[in-house]
Structure formats: C-alpha cells, structure tokens
Amino acid sequence: MYQKIVTKGSTDYCYLKIRLDFGKDHDAIIDALNFKQLILSAAKDVFGIAVSCSLIDVLRYEKSSRTAVIRIYHKYLTKLWSSLTMYGNINGAPCAFRILQVSSHLMALANNSRSMKLHMVYDG
Amino acid sequence: MKRVVPTGKLIFERTSFLNENEKHLQCILTHSFNSSIGVFLPEHDCVPRILGDMMDDQMSYYVEQVPLNLLTETDFIKGFVQAGSLCMISYGTCIDSDDCVAVTPEGMLVMSLCKDTYQRCGLDGHLSKAGKNIEKFVVKVDLKSDKFYPGTKYYDRVQWCLSQMANFDFLVTWIPNDGKVCPSSIQNFFKTKSIQCNRLKVNKTNHEFKNFNIPIIDPAVIETDSEQKSCNYDEVFEWLGACAVGIDDYEGDDYLSTYSCPTPNKQASYCIYTQYEGIIHPSIVKQYINYLRQFMKDKKLPWSSVTVHGFVDSPLSWIYDHGFHNNGDNIYTFLMFPNDEYWLYRAIGGQDICP
Amino acid sequence: MAAPMDLNIPHCDENLLKEKLCMSHQLGYEVVAINYYDPELLIPKKQKKKDDAHQVKSPDKILPSKEVLQSITKGSRKPFKVLSRVSTILTEETQAHKLISEEVQQFDLIAVQPTSEKTFLQACQTLNVDIITIDVTEKFNMKMRRQTISPALERGVYFELQYSPSIRDSTYRQYLIANAQKLMFWCKGKNVILTSGCEKAMELRGPYDVANLGLLFDLNENQAKDTVMKNCQAVLSHSEGRKDYTKSTIKVEKVKELSKTDMWIVDKSDALQNCEEFDLENNAVSDLHQFDSSDNDDEEEDHDSDAVESEPKKIKLMTT
C-alpha cells in the first residue's frame, strides 16, 4: 500500500520565469509570439540552431508585464539561460531578460517568497 | 561541460490518511515556514469560505529591527515560546548570502550564519549540509529546554552572544495554547519594547477555469501502463503546477507551446485554484486539510489538492538544513482522494537533503 | 559575508552613474566598485605631450555623495556599499613603480591589464595589485603557463573577466568565451571574478545570471557562484590587507576608532586582563603594525584578520 519514488538525477524539464525589461527611454509592445521569437533568436545568436530547435514552450505570458513562464529541457538550462543573459538589444533598443525564478518544478513558480510584497494593516 | 547537478528533486509518496504512522502530520507540522497555501478543486466553482476565515483569524505580523537577545529573554520564552506555537522567520535575508534567523513552533532558534558572523558570534554550530562547500553554519538553540534559564552558564553565554549580533526584521505568527489568550498579545509585547510591529494582510489570488480538461487519476495506479486508464504521477504534478501558475489556454497554439493536459482526461465545467500568501502556521494547514477531506466527500469531488510553498530563504526545509542554489524550493502537495488515500509530492532544491 | 558583488562599474557622468547604481541595487548587488579607468596612469609625465600634469582623480571625487546613495537605497534595508577602484593598462615592466604611489594606493581596489607576456608575468608574480584584468575585447594571445599563473593564485590576486562587452557585440562574445575558457583551463577555476564593466545600466545582469555564465566557462556550480560572491569578498580582504596591514595579519587600532561590531573584542579583553597592560589612552601609535615573518599568502585573505587584536588564542590560530 505504501509506495515511495524519489527522482534520480535531474528531472526532464526545467521551468523559468522570465521578464523582458527595456531601458528607461524605450518601450515596445511584445506579444507572446514575439516573445518566443526573441528567445529563439537569443539562443540562436549564441549557440546556433542546435539549441534553438530544442523544446522551448511558452506556458504563460503576461503582456502587460512582459513576464513569461517557459519550459525547456533541463540539459539545455545553462545554455539557454546564458544566451538570454547575453541578449542585449532588440532593433537597437537596449533590453534585458531578467530570470526571476528557475526550478525543476512548475509548481514552484506559483509563489516566490523572495519577492513577496508585504501588505500591512495599520491599526491605530 | 561538467556533470549537471539537478536543479531540483521530487519525492513522491502514495499512502493513506488512515495509516497509523500518521506520516502526513509529520510532513505538515515539521514544515514550519510556509509562505503560501494553495487549493485546487476540480468540478467545483469556489473554495470553501472557511479557508479565508482561517487565514483572516490567523494574526501575522511584520516586526522591524528585533534585537536577537530579546528572543532569549525569559519574558518572551515563558510568554510566547512555551505558551503557544510560534513561527518566526527573518525577512529580507537571503539564505545564500546573508545571515538568516528563525524560531520554529517547537521552540528552536535556528540561525544560518555566514562564516564571518559565525566566527564572531562564538556559539556552537555545524557546517550547513545543504550543498557542498558552502560556507554557511547552522546554530541551533533550544529555547524550550529546561536547562535554558538565566543564571546557567550556557544561557548567559547565548544571551551575551546574541546581544552582539545585528538586529533583524521578522515575520511572525503565534497561536496560543490557551484559547482564551488573544494571538495579538505578541504584538503588544513588541510594542511595549518599542519595536515597530504591524499586522500583515494575506494576499489572495484566484484562478478560475471553465470547461477545462482535467486528468483522470486513479489513486491506486501511479505509473501508467500500456492501457493508459489513468495519468502518471509526475504528469499530474506538472499539471497541478500549470494550474497554479495560471496557464492560459494551453491547447491553443502549437508554435508557442507543446504542453497539453496529460491523458486520459475529461472535461470539467468548473475548476478553481485559490492561493493565499503570507506567513502561514503549519497547524492551519493541518486543520484545513482535515476539513477539506470531509468537504471533498460531502461534495463528491473526484479528488482535491492542497499545495504549501515554504519560504525559499528558510534555514530549514523540514528538519534538514536548507540552502539556495538556483532556487530554494521546499514545497509539498497533498493530492487527496475520497477513499482517504493520498499522494504526497515533495519538491525540493537540488542542494537539499531528501526528507 | 558572501554577498553578491560587482567590482567594476565604470565611472561616468553623475546621472548615468546613479542609474547604474540604482540598477545594481535593484538586481541584488550589495557591494559595487566604481572603476576609474585611466589607460595612461602609468606613463611617466615626461613622455606626455601636454605639460599640464596628469592628475589622478582622488577616490572622493568618483564616489557618489551620501545623498545620492541614500536616494538609491531608500526604503530598503539591504546594505549597499560603494567602493572605489582604479584600473589601468600595463604595457612595460618599468612603469609599474607608479602603482605604489600614494594617489593610486588610496583607492580601495587596484586593477591592471597587462598587454604583454612579460608584464603579465610581472603582474602575477610581484605587483601589489588586487585584480588582473583579462581583456575580453580581443583574443587573448599570450602564452599561459601554470608557472605564470600560480604565483597569482598563491598571492591571492584575482583575474577579472567583464561580461558586458559581450552583451554589446557578438564578436566580443566569442572572445569572452574563448578567453574565459583558456583562463579557466590554466587556473583550474580558481581566483576568477566576473564583473560587468557596463557602459549603460541596461547592460547589468543579476548575480545568478552572471553565475550561470560561469557554468558556460567550464566552472562547476560552486565555483560559478563564487565568481560573484566569495571570490569578490576575497578581493576585498586582499585589498584591505594591502592597505592596512602591508605585510601583516594583525593590526592595532585605538579603542575609540573601533567600529561597533568589533567592540566585543574590547569587552572580552577587559574581562580577561582588566585593561592593565592595555592602556590605550597613552598609546599614541595608532597604526602599529606587527609583522609576520612567515610568508603571508593565504592568511592575508582571512576574513576576520581585524578581529584578533587582543585575543591571544586567536592569534595563534592565524599564524599556524
């Protein structure tokens, strides 16, 4: 009746929460499709098609904050992450991908206590 | 490239609430520092109000600049550590680069200190076991010990050492043993010591799903065979995660995402995911899970799930040292079935020890 | 404490600098160094065409004012420390003497970028600097050998790689990766720090992103994280050692000038000896150095070398 399974080694997938920031004088409307294309071109710039052809799923995208949750293969984590880090401009507008959270569990991205905002009730 | 260290580990257990070891209680109650609780109900359109009420009744506070030696004063130990169940965790401190301090409901003062602070503070501890070659030291002081009172050499030493350390901001919640005592007494205590202490409001997020595919889960089958009558345990966990994150219309575009609901699945007219954020006392989680088990049976739901996220910068994940490499995950999910069986997922960061 | 640090934020005009500092604070850096870069710092005055003496800016001039710092950190309790750093190019061995001058030594950190094999060797072996910069805007063609590098490792001098040029330009990206991998091969992943060297605020990246770049350069997880945390701390300790201790591991300070966090040492020693032999009121010499005869390579980096002044037990620990 009692069963226990512990993952051995790495999990298959890795999930990232990323935000695209622009410099203060620039702004652009990026929809989910553009966002995915940007990720692909970032990966292609640094590592070529071998990495950019691997699985990159945009699971959720919020246009207003340009924040996305993506799913990738765990073995490409370092490569994809660093290619996002080195990506610096879109058509001349300086930008930066901010990696907000990295986890091998999608569930982990539902909450981030590090960026938790406190809402205080001031009584009397 | 060198060997890849896992970014996270998943521990899955399948057992029953009726199991006499009551492992579920151990899992809930030893996971002291919870930053959120999330509930997913399939085929239902709202989460029972009682959870919201419980969250509102639980008083949690943000206390600023607490000198650590206050925590070892007799007033504090007698008045709060021993007379109730206290959860206290330093706020704004990162476990991988700062000193972190917490008090568990069991009355243990746990400090995860950097090498500098550890060498200066002069208290006995051990090297953190979360990860290799990290220079963090864990010092534990049992505040509830009967040998811990003023006058003893050990107490005086601890008191002096703590008084030399910096002040910390804390998130605090306290549940008194005596029901007549008001949980806000702790706020008064800090106020009389002229320390800023404000009440915290819990944050609520809701994700509603309509005409939504949900996986078919058979509590007895955790890994699918060729017949595929029910879903695999890891796919279910990923799917629960997708709901918690609030995945948009996931079966739309193939170019954007290849993710889809695990098979076999069926359509449900309503599903709901509700999450509360704040500092959540483990006993609330326990009460709520007990309530939900009955609720699920009454409403004839196929299953229900409760997810608890621990603070990523907590010095403990369950009873083990906790660290942060790329992430500081310490999460557990109860997937409960009406026949009192449950699946327990525990997701931790790659550097931590499996509970 | 191993807080995330960025030890190279180039000095620039006030507004841009403030923007950069703001961004680095937001990204979670707790210590940053403002880099005053002068490629001609070491060139003797005679050789210069113009007569007006080439003045080195003093650290006070490049550091932002207190008000600016406060406006950056407002509402946050995270510490944010800004240091001064000077860096230059070292083309000829004979120029190095100027590094010892007062105007250079008053900076918190000193970095050189050797351009030839000879000066590279000199920087590794003898120069009293904290950081050796590896140029990432061109291919690193110098021949490296373990013998060249190991004195630097022993002396606690760190190699710096800047990541922001590779954000600006994809050719620099190649050089960064190539040079970094070459360096990592010879120094086995030790004594490396990653810094930004950013020209714009948007070129800054968060500490975890930068640490992840380290993985790309063949470092392992811990080493990668050390490049933005622990190793930078070691650089600071090294510079402190260079400034305050010259060649010692112990320093004597006046009780009045002790920082609050170090007061416990006095409490302890009061209890131990009732201050009899420790009459600090009459002690006029404030910076009396006690020299350590043994070679002080690793010990100099020790974090709490300033925490040992009057506790005999700890001094023993240091010298053994």
Side-chain angles (χ1 to χ4, degrees):
Chain A
M1 165 81 209
Y2 178 75
Q3 277 175 299
K4 182 171 180 177
I5 302 172
V6 180
T7 50
K8 290 202 176 70
S10 325
T11 45
D12 301 345
Y13 299 120
C14 220
Y15 305 89
L16 287 93
K17 193 173 203 172
I18 44 186
R19 191 182 68 215
L20 181 65
D21 280 3
F22 282 101
K24 62 174 183 190
D25 301 325
H26 299 271
D27 201 8
I29 294 166
I30 305 282
D31 64 14
L33 222 61
N34 296 144
F35 198 86
K36 171 138 185 184
Q37 278 159 353
L38 288 176
I39 296 173
L40 289 179
S41 77
K44 210 168 161 184
D45 272 4
V46 186
F47 293 102
I49 51 170
V51 173
S52 68
C53 285
S54 74
L55 171 117
I56 300 171
D57 282 336
V58 179
L59 298 181
R60 179 193 156 90
Y61 180 72
E62 208 179 275
K63 211 167 165 181
S64 55
S65 58
R66 289 191 289 265
T67 308
V69 174
I70 65 166
R71 175 172 78 158
I72 56 172
Y73 287 129
H74 185 270
K75 63 174 176 179
Y76 287 123
L77 172 65
T78 306
K79 289 186 178 173
L80 263 167
W81 187 352
S82 43
S83 56
L84 291 176
T85 307
M86 290 198 207
Y87 200 71
N89 81 80
I90 300 169
N91 305 329
C95 69
F97 280 108
R98 303 283 177 221
I99 314 297
L100 306 177
Q101 261 178 303
V102 177
S103 176
S104 48
H105 315 286
L106 186 49
M107 187 58 97
L109 307 189
N111 175 260
N112 185 2
S113 62
R114 234 179 222 195
S115 60
M116 186 163 85
K117 287 204 171 61
L118 299 181
H119 296 271
M120 245 97 69
V121 184
Y122 297 98
D123 36 22
Chain B
M1 203 143 306
K2 292 183 183 144
R3 90 205 147 81
V4 183
V5 172
T7 319
K9 300 176 202 164
L10 181 68
I11 299 108
F12 171 80
E13 280 164 275
R14 178 199 150 213
T15 175
S16 163
F17 284 111
L18 306 176
N19 194 322
E20 55 205 17
N21 285 332
E22 295 198 312
K23 276 203 162 178
H24 65 283
L25 284 184
Q26 198 191 326
C27 170
I28 297 166
L29 295 177
T30 56
H31 194 266
S32 313
F33 308 107
N34 309 316
S35 70
S36 87
I37 179 168
V39 185
F40 185 88
L41 298 179
E43 299 182 38
H44 203 75
D45 55 358
C46 66
V47 165
R49 267 190 59 103
I50 182 162
L51 177 63
D53 295 343
M54 274 159 74
M55 293 305 306
D56 289 341
D57 289 348
Q58 179 203 244
M59 305 269 198
S60 53
Y61 303 96
Y62 174 57
V63 205
E64 292 171 58
Q65 295 295 304
V66 181
L68 289 185
N69 55 331
L70 184 70
L71 306 181
T72 52
E73 274 177 16
T74 348
D75 288 0
F76 189 76
I77 294 180
K78 284 240 168 75
F80 300 98
V81 179
Q82 288 177 347
S85 182
L86 179 73
C87 264
M88 207 163 166
I89 184 165
S90 57
Y91 177 77
T93 51
C94 298
I95 192 88
D96 54 342
S97 58
D98 306 327
D99 302 323
C100 295
V101 183
V103 182
T104 69
E106 286 79 40
M108 188 72 82
L109 173 67
V110 188
M111 297 185 281
S112 179
L113 304 175
C114 298
K115 198 180 168 189
D116 277 34
T117 333
Y118 177 67
Q119 284 175 338
R120 280 170 191 225
C121 88
L123 288 168
D124 214 17
H126 64 266
L127 198 61
S128 169
K129 293 188 186 76
K132 278 174 193 161
N133 298 324
I134 53 158
E135 291 189 332
K136 287 285 281 191
F137 294 82
V138 181
V139 176
K140 290 182 182 176
V141 179
D142 187 359
L143 302 178
K144 272 188 178 169
S145 160
D146 41 357
K147 287 179 189 131
F148 194 71
Y149 55 85
T152 58
K153 218 173 159 186
Y154 179 61
Y155 178 91
D156 291 344
R157 184 178 168 72
V158 170
Q159 181 77 3
W160 183 81
C161 290
L162 292 180
S163 67
Q164 302 302 309
M165 287 174 66
N167 293 354
F168 285 83
D169 296 343
F170 281 99
L171 299 180
V172 182
T173 177
W174 181 63
I175 296 182
N177 290 339
D178 185 350
K180 286 172 209 148
V181 177
C182 183
S184 63
S185 325
I186 199 157
Q187 186 180 22
N188 291 331
F189 173 80
F190 285 118
K191 278 188 172 163
T192 53
K193 303 271 173 189
S194 41
I195 295 171
Q196 274 281 342
C197 179
N198 286 304
R199 214 184 135 186
L200 284 177
K201 213 172 89 183
V202 281
N203 273 350
K204 183 183 172 186
T205 36
N206 250 333
H207 294 302
E208 285 169 36
F209 306 92
K210 279 174 191 163
N211 301 325
F212 188 67
N213 284 349
I214 60 167
I216 296 168
I217 310 168
D218 179 356
V221 184
I222 55 173
E223 285 182 302
T224 31
D225 41 18
S226 50
E227 289 176 32
Q228 292 219 333
K229 279 182 184 160
S230 63
C231 293
N232 230 26
Y233 74 97
D234 50 350
E235 288 175 345
V236 174
F237 187 55
E238 188 185 29
W239 182 82
L240 284 170
C243 296
V245 170
I247 194 164
D248 338 284
D249 192 18
Y250 58 78
E251 269 144 307
D253 199 335
D254 226 23
Y255 175 72
L256 269 186
S257 157
T258 53
Y259 182 75
S260 62
C261 179
T263 46
N265 52 35
K266 63 177 178 193
Q267 205 177 53
S269 44
Y270 281 109
C271 294
I272 180 95
Y273 178 82
T274 301
Q275 180 173 306
Y276 288 91
E277 277 175 12
I279 174 168
I280 294 151
H281 199 280
S283 70
I284 294 214
V285 181
K286 179 185 128 190
Q287 278 176 44
Y288 188 68
I289 284 186
N290 284 339
Y291 173 82
L292 200 63
R293 279 167 59 195
Q294 193 53 47
F295 180 82
M296 172 174 61
K297 286 177 196 167
D298 295 344
K299 300 276 177 187
K300 302 219 164 37
L301 302 181
W303 48 266
S304 64
S305 100
V306 174
T307 300
V308 174
H309 287 81
F311 280 91
V312 293
D313 292 311
S314 138
L316 293 176
S317 105
W318 285 282
I319 52 171
Y320 298 104
D321 300 338
H322 180 246
F324 189 105
H325 185 69
N326 286 335
N327 61 62
D329 295 345
N330 58 121
I331 302 164
Y332 63 86
T333 295
F334 276 95
L335 183 61
M336 303 178 284
F337 301 98
N339 65 353
D340 279 329
E341 282 196 34
Y342 68 89
W343 292 3
L344 172 61
Y345 298 91
R346 280 189 273 191
I348 56 172
Q351 68 289 328
D352 286 358
I353 305 164
C354 289
Chain C
M1 187 136 71
M5 305 185 195
D6 185 351
L7 297 185
N8 184 355
I9 292 195
H11 182 245
C12 49
D13 72 81
E14 210 177 317
N15 285 336
L16 186 58
L17 187 65
K18 193 182 165 190
E19 212 179 295
K20 285 184 195 174
L21 292 177
C22 251
M23 179 65 85
S24 56
H25 179 66
Q26 270 173 27
L27 290 173
Y29 290 101
E30 289 180 24
V31 180
V32 295
I34 294 179
N35 188 16
Y36 171 62
Y37 177 66
D38 184 353
E40 292 182 349
L41 183 74
L42 301 178
I43 296 174
K45 278 169 196 165
K46 278 179 246 163
Q47 289 175 19
K48 274 177 202 159
K49 289 170 195 162
K50 284 182 189 168
D51 256 1
D52 52 325
H54 190 73
Q55 276 291 318
V56 180
K57 276 191 184 173
S58 75
D60 312 333
K61 291 226 171 92
I62 67 160
L63 288 177
S65 63
K66 260 189 182 160
E67 293 80 46
V68 172
L69 270 184
Q70 267 171 5
S71 72
I72 291 169
T73 55
K74 61 171 186 266
S76 149
R77 248 199 266 289
K78 278 263 170 202
F80 189 64
K81 205 167 141 193
V82 181
L83 304 171
S84 61
R85 159 182 157 159
V86 63
S87 55
T88 186
I89 290 176
L90 183 64
T91 44
E92 278 175 55
E93 284 172 88
T94 47
Q95 294 169 351
H97 65 92
K98 194 157 186 229
L99 286 171
I100 326 168
S101 68
E102 182 72 18
E103 50 182 16
V104 175
Q105 290 285 331
Q106 61 186 340
F107 282 88
D108 291 321
L109 301 169
I110 302 174
V112 291
Q113 180 184 322
T115 52
S116 67
E117 266 170 59
K118 272 188 180 165
T119 48
F120 188 75
L121 185 68
Q122 187 194 18
C124 289
Q125 279 178 339
T126 52
L127 282 190
N128 196 8
V129 294
D130 308 302
I131 298 169
I132 298 174
T133 307
I134 307 283
D135 191 5
V136 290
T137 55
E138 60 183 56
K139 197 148 175 61
F140 191 75
N141 282 321
M142 281 180 243
K143 206 172 167 187
M144 264 198 213
R145 274 177 304 161
R146 195 143 288 153
Q147 291 95 313
T148 327
I149 297 233
S150 59
L153 303 187
E154 277 167 25
R155 296 193 308 134
V157 178
Y158 281 70
F159 296 98
E160 176 201 36
L161 290 163
Q162 297 172 16
Y163 64 81
S164 79
S166 71
I167 293 174
R168 288 195 287 273
D169 190 311
S170 60
T171 3
Y172 294 159
R173 205 173 288 165
Q174 279 177 29
Y175 296 142
L176 171 66
I177 297 175
N179 295 352
Q181 290 187 344
K182 187 171 178 182
L183 176 68
M184 300 308 173
F185 181 79
W186 289 110
C187 68
K188 293 179 183 163
K190 285 179 199 152
N191 285 44
V192 180
I193 59 170
L194 288 171
T195 62
S196 70
C198 59
E199 282 177 4
K200 294 185 209 110
M202 279 313 280
E203 285 164 8
L204 278 161
R205 293 293 182 271
Y208 293 102
D209 299 347
V210 178
N212 181 67
L213 283 183
L215 292 179
L216 199 67
F217 307 151
D218 289 341
L219 295 175
N220 68 28
E221 262 83 0
N222 280 324
Q223 288 172 333
K225 244 184 154 174
D226 288 348
T227 58
V228 277
M229 296 183 169
K230 210 166 89 188
N231 290 356
C232 296
Q233 178 64 51
V235 171
L236 298 195
S237 311
H238 183 267
S239 90
E240 206 171 301
R242 175 173 53 76
K243 275 168 62 177
D244 296 348
Y245 310 79
T246 338
K247 277 201 167 156
S248 67
T249 53
I250 304 165
K251 97 172 156 182
V252 178
E253 281 177 299
K254 273 187 182 172
V255 169
K256 281 179 201 159
E257 289 163 11
L258 266 181
S259 73
K260 226 180 164 185
T261 48
D262 288 339
M263 280 312 281
W264 63 274
I265 305 167
V266 183
D267 288 358
K268 275 268 159 178
S269 58
D270 276 358
L272 283 173
Q273 3 180 315
N274 280 327
C275 245
E276 280 171 344
E277 310 138 55
F278 211 71
D279 194 1
L280 283 138
E281 288 299 318
N282 303 329
N283 194 348
V285 193
S286 58
D287 277 313
L288 190 70
H289 292 152
Q290 193 164 336
F291 289 89
D292 187 359
S293 54
S294 65
D295 55 343
N296 51 310
D297 36 26
D298 285 333
E299 303 291 20
E300 209 175 59
E301 291 163 36
D302 209 296
H303 300 310
D304 52 353
S305 42
D306 54 336
V308 286
E309 73 203 65
S310 56
E311 220 177 1
K313 224 169 145 189
K314 279 208 177 171
I315 293 171
K316 252 187 220 164
L317 267 174
M318 303 289 299
T319 47
T320 45

